[in-house]
Amino acid sequence: MEIATALGYSVGFTFGGLVFVAYKLGLLYQLFHKTETQSPRHGGESVAEVLRAHGVKFVFTLVGGHISPILVACEKLGIRIVDTRHEATAVFAADAVARLSGTVGVAAVTAGPGLTNTVTAVKNAQMAESPLLLIGGAAGTLLQGRGALQDIDQMSLFKPLCKFCASVRSVREIVPTMRKALAIAQSGTPGPVFIEFPIDTLYPFHLVSKEFGVKNPPKGIMGIVVTWYLHNHLKNLFAGAWETRDVSPLPVHIPQATDDQVQKCIELVSRAKKPVILLGSQATLPPTPADDIRVALESLGIPCFLGGMSRGMLGRNSPLHIRQNRKYALKDADLVLLAGTVCDFRLSYGRVLNRRSKIIAVNRDKTQLLKNSDMFWKPNVAIQGDAGSFLLRLSKGLMGHKCSEDWPQRLKAGDITKEKANRGKADEKTDCHLNPLSVLHRVDELMDDDSIIVADGGDFVGSAAYIMRPRGPLRWLDPGAFGTLGVGGGFALGAKLCRPESEVWIIYGDGSLGYSVAEFDTFTRHKTPVIALVGNDACWSQISREQVPILGSNVACGLAFTDYHIVADGYGGKGTLIGREDEDKLDDIIKEAQKETREGRATLLNVLIGKTNFREGSISV
């Protein structure tokens, strides 16, 4: 009896083991799903079908053989393929599309170095909370880890950077993996996702089968086993590949404030005498239209400080938009609403908030919602939810109630006083070259009302942030919390494709220009005319400004007054050098650049500038 029982267990265990092995080898799946060996179709077509169903209009890339089937298939389905001169630019462009379009931005790059070149841009998208799909090529499924060309452990690189990572192991997995990734990218706190496509999941059966053939298999039983294994792997790779599958978008989850939380906030705001709203980029995320948020803010009548993508939310000259003296306003406020704004270095980790103020924090991400709240500040109400829809509900609940006009008028008066003083600095003469503040004021006054401003730099761009006024929401693009240099070319490319009718300005420092000046070739080839304004002071001035007085050396900070305008000419654009002798003609030069872009030519204004201590209140050479 015991022998029979033991024998039964042994047989059961063996049978279970065989079933498991059959499952892992795909034998069970192949029993019910056909492998169409004569089909000319390839996995790239499945990728393209999912992207089209999700409303993707652009795929940014730097071409490589690993991903060619995806690019060709997308082009055939009407998805525009935009190839750049660096993989990071492709991701930055996809990031810009995600921010401006409300859909997922998509970049596709080849394996190995193609993917490693994107790491900084993907991290920037993660910190900026941009929904982004990075598609990467990879070595064949059986060659990974065996020394194939450009084969590295790509998944380990991107798991810390992305909300979701997957490596497709068969053609039938492409559609469900893509749908899942695209939904995750947009759900909760948006962010990048990564899908790795081994090369044998993208090419047709007849081509892949040639690579699986063994010319000189081992003799005997080992040769039989190896040949069978390779043949079975190939069949499993394509089994059920072309069965009809749903490619439509999966539901996207967006966290919302509860009714009780909204009601508590209504009560707090209604009792406040000096409330302030700090609006961050999250407030511009779908599904709430930016115009609806603007109406809600105007209804509340609360003075607002706008950051990131929310710059321009209230138009150019709103009485509620306060640009200066934020530290003073926060210390004097009795209620602060952090709508998608994070207490990181930009708010001195929360130390600028008055401990006596009532604080409402709304953020989709729990970690960002409570950042540094254990040290420097503490929210009275912390809501893990969507900031835009929260503002609409708050406004509706406070219908008929409006902040006293004395408070925003008082803050606006401070704004006017400080900006008048700053304008006075713009009228001063530097010892040589042009006053950068004056240049920025002239551009701000002459740019079209539908312009989009891309910020890429340090010192010059820092001044632009104080001076230039976006005319509406989603018209200011900067890197975000990561502070990445080099975003200019990609952001401008994505912005111009999304808004072809808009003027797109890149405000470059001469240091940051070096990262993406080659994209003038991309602007020319893809007929995306933008205007680049380069503040050329021959220096990494933001670093030099502190390094020299503290450490006594300008080492590694010096550049040259390089002829960047000639570089733009060489790439098919139009470059113009602007110096002190052109000061009286500056308006005409700006208007000519605008005319050039309307006629389809990207332009670069290489402006020689003197050094400023704008934020310190003085100007020097």
Side-chain angles (χ1 to χ4, degrees):
M1 185 68 178
E2 291 180 359
I3 294 175
T5 301
L7 185 61
Y9 279 131
S10 177
V11 170
F13 181 78
T14 302
F15 179 75
L18 290 173
V19 170
F20 177 76
V21 170
Y23 168 77
K24 295 295 290 184
L25 292 173
L27 296 174
L28 299 180
Y29 188 87
Q30 292 175 53
L31 288 175
F32 304 99
H33 301 273
K34 184 180 179 182
T35 300
E36 299 181 36
T37 60
Q38 302 304 311
S39 175
R41 296 190 63 185
H42 57 79
E45 296 172 356
S46 298
V47 174
E49 288 170 2
V50 176
L51 293 179
R52 182 176 64 175
H54 285 70
V56 173
K57 295 181 179 179
F58 311 105
V59 171
F60 299 94
T61 191
L62 199 158
V63 71
H66 288 90
I67 58 168
S68 289
I70 294 175
L71 307 181
V72 172
C74 285
E75 183 185 45
K76 286 182 178 178
L77 291 186
I79 298 172
R80 184 169 175 180
I81 302 300
V82 184
D83 59 307
T84 64
R85 300 305 299 266
H86 196 286
E87 289 90 352
T89 297
V91 176
F92 287 136
D95 185 338
V97 167
R99 300 188 195 194
L100 294 178
S101 69
T103 58
V104 178
V106 180
V109 301
T110 198
L115 277 162
T116 58
N117 276 346
T118 71
V119 168
T120 297
V122 173
K123 181 62 182 180
N124 193 81
Q126 181 195 45
M127 294 188 67
E129 300 174 351
S130 296
L132 177 81
L133 169 61
L134 176 64
I135 292 172
T141 51
L142 288 180
L143 295 178
Q144 291 181 358
R146 296 180 180 273
L149 176 67
Q150 298 180 333
D151 178 34
I152 59 171
D153 182 2
Q154 298 171 162
M155 299 297 285
S156 294
L157 279 176
F158 289 98
K159 282 180 179 178
L161 307 178
C162 296
K163 296 180 67 181
F164 171 79
C165 291
S167 180
V168 171
R169 310 315 292 176
S170 65
V171 180
R172 62 181 176 270
E173 294 177 19
I174 292 176
V175 170
T177 303
M178 291 275 295
R179 294 176 75 209
K180 181 178 180 180
L182 288 162
I184 290 174
Q186 301 170 86
S187 293
T189 306
V193 293
F194 169 60
I195 304 178
E196 173 186 85
F197 288 89
I199 193 169
D200 47 2
T201 65
L202 292 177
Y203 279 84
F205 182 92
H206 70 278
L207 290 178
V208 176
S209 64
K210 292 179 181 179
E211 297 298 319
F212 276 82
V214 182
K215 295 181 180 179
N216 298 300
K219 294 182 180 180
I221 188 66
M222 182 56 69
I224 295 172
V225 170
V226 169
T227 301
W228 176 88
Y229 179 80
L230 292 175
H231 178 70
N232 177 73
H233 184 83
L234 176 64
K235 286 188 64 180
N236 185 53
L237 200 63
F238 285 88
W242 314 124
E243 295 173 3
T244 301
R245 288 182 173 83
D246 184 4
V247 296
S248 63
L250 293 170
V252 172
H253 169 67
I254 299 173
Q256 300 288 349
T258 66
D259 290 340
D260 288 344
Q261 288 173 327
V262 174
Q263 183 57 41
K264 187 172 182 179
C265 294
I266 289 171
E267 294 169 5
L268 288 173
V269 174
S270 68
R271 293 194 293 266
K273 302 298 182 184
K274 293 186 288 186
V276 168
I277 295 177
L278 271 60
L279 213 64
S281 294
Q282 268 197 17
T284 66
L285 291 173
T288 309
D291 284 342
D292 291 354
I293 296 174
R294 175 184 55 79
V295 171
L297 293 173
E298 290 172 346
S299 173
L300 290 167
I302 299 174
C304 299
F305 290 90
L306 309 177
M309 295 294 294
S310 73
R311 287 173 181 258
M313 179 71 75
L314 293 168
R316 188 180 184 186
N317 294 305
S318 169
L320 296 177
H321 180 198
I322 313 301
R323 292 162 51 87
Q324 310 289 341
N325 304 313
R326 186 179 68 178
K327 186 176 181 179
Y328 158 75
L330 292 176
K331 288 298 183 185
D332 205 27
D334 60 2
L335 181 139
V336 178
L337 170 53
L338 303 173
T341 298
V342 182
C343 286
D344 55 16
F345 68 94
R346 292 166 292 185
L347 283 180
S348 190
Y349 311 98
R351 285 178 292 193
V352 296
L353 299 176
N354 188 339
R355 289 187 176 273
R356 294 187 299 273
S357 299
K358 302 294 184 182
I359 299 175
I360 300 170
V362 187
N363 199 293
R364 293 194 187 191
D365 187 281
K366 186 176 181 180
T367 301
Q368 300 300 319
L369 172 67
L370 300 174
K371 181 81 76 178
N372 296 309
S373 64
D374 57 337
M375 294 180 65
F376 300 117
W377 70 288
K378 192 171 184 64
N380 295 85
V381 182
I383 300 170
Q384 186 178 359
D386 176 57
S389 55
F390 169 80
L391 288 170
L392 263 61
R393 294 167 67 187
L394 183 68
S395 173
K396 185 177 179 180
L398 286 164
M399 193 68 68
H401 172 85
K402 199 166 188 176
C403 175
S404 171
E405 293 184 1
D406 292 346
W407 171 237
Q409 287 174 358
R410 179 173 142 196
L411 295 179
K412 197 67 175 180
D415 242 23
I416 293 169
T417 300
K418 188 163 186 177
E419 290 191 354
K420 185 177 180 180
N422 289 340
R423 187 56 196 254
K425 296 169 192 173
D427 294 335
E428 297 177 16
K429 290 285 187 183
T430 51
D431 287 352
C432 64
H433 305 310
L434 290 170
N435 184 325
L437 311 181
S438 177
V439 174
L440 290 166
H441 274 293
R442 298 308 306 140
V443 171
D444 182 58
E445 290 167 10
L446 291 171
M447 66 169 46
D448 285 354
D449 283 344
D450 69 343
S451 293
I452 296 172
I453 304 168
V454 174
D456 186 9
D459 202 67
F460 188 59
V461 170
S463 297
Y466 281 87
I467 292 169
M468 304 188 80
R469 300 170 183 261
R471 277 44 167 178
L474 303 176
R475 295 185 182 279
W476 173 277
L477 289 169
D478 63 30
F482 202 29
T484 309
L485 293 181
V487 302
F491 276 12
L493 177 64
K496 190 64 179 178
L497 288 168
C498 283
R499 310 270 179 84
E501 73 289 346
S502 297
E503 254 180 30
V504 175
W505 286 81
I506 317 173
I507 312 302
Y508 272 124
D510 55 339
S512 61
L513 172 69
Y515 287 91
S516 63
V517 68
E519 300 306 336
F520 264 79
D521 173 66
T522 307
F523 300 146
T524 299
R525 288 184 297 106
H526 288 282
K527 297 179 173 57
T528 49
V530 304
I531 307 174
L533 178 72
V534 184
N536 188 350
D537 62 359
C539 187
W540 294 94
S541 292
Q542 192 174 57
I543 307 303
S544 177
R545 191 183 301 283
E546 296 184 354
Q547 180 174 307
V548 172
I550 294 174
L551 300 173
S553 172
N554 198 48
V555 63
C557 295
L559 295 171
F561 287 105
T562 301
D563 290 334
Y564 299 114
H565 54 290
I566 296 178
V567 177
D569 285 340
Y571 280 122
K574 171 64 175 176
T576 302
L577 178 65
I578 305 172
R580 172 70 66 83
E581 66 279 5
D582 302 303
E583 190 166 13
D584 293 338
K585 302 180 292 183
L586 185 58
D587 285 11
D588 292 335
I589 293 171
I590 293 170
K591 291 175 183 177
E592 180 62 26
Q594 293 171 308
K595 180 174 177 289
E596 288 279 353
T597 57
R598 286 193 293 271
E599 293 175 356
R601 197 174 185 188
T603 64
L604 185 150
L605 304 179
N606 184 14
V607 186
L608 305 181
I609 58 172
K611 299 186 187 302
T612 70
N613 286 317
F614 173 42
R615 277 149 287 179
E616 286 72 29
S618 63
I619 290 184
S620 62
V621 179

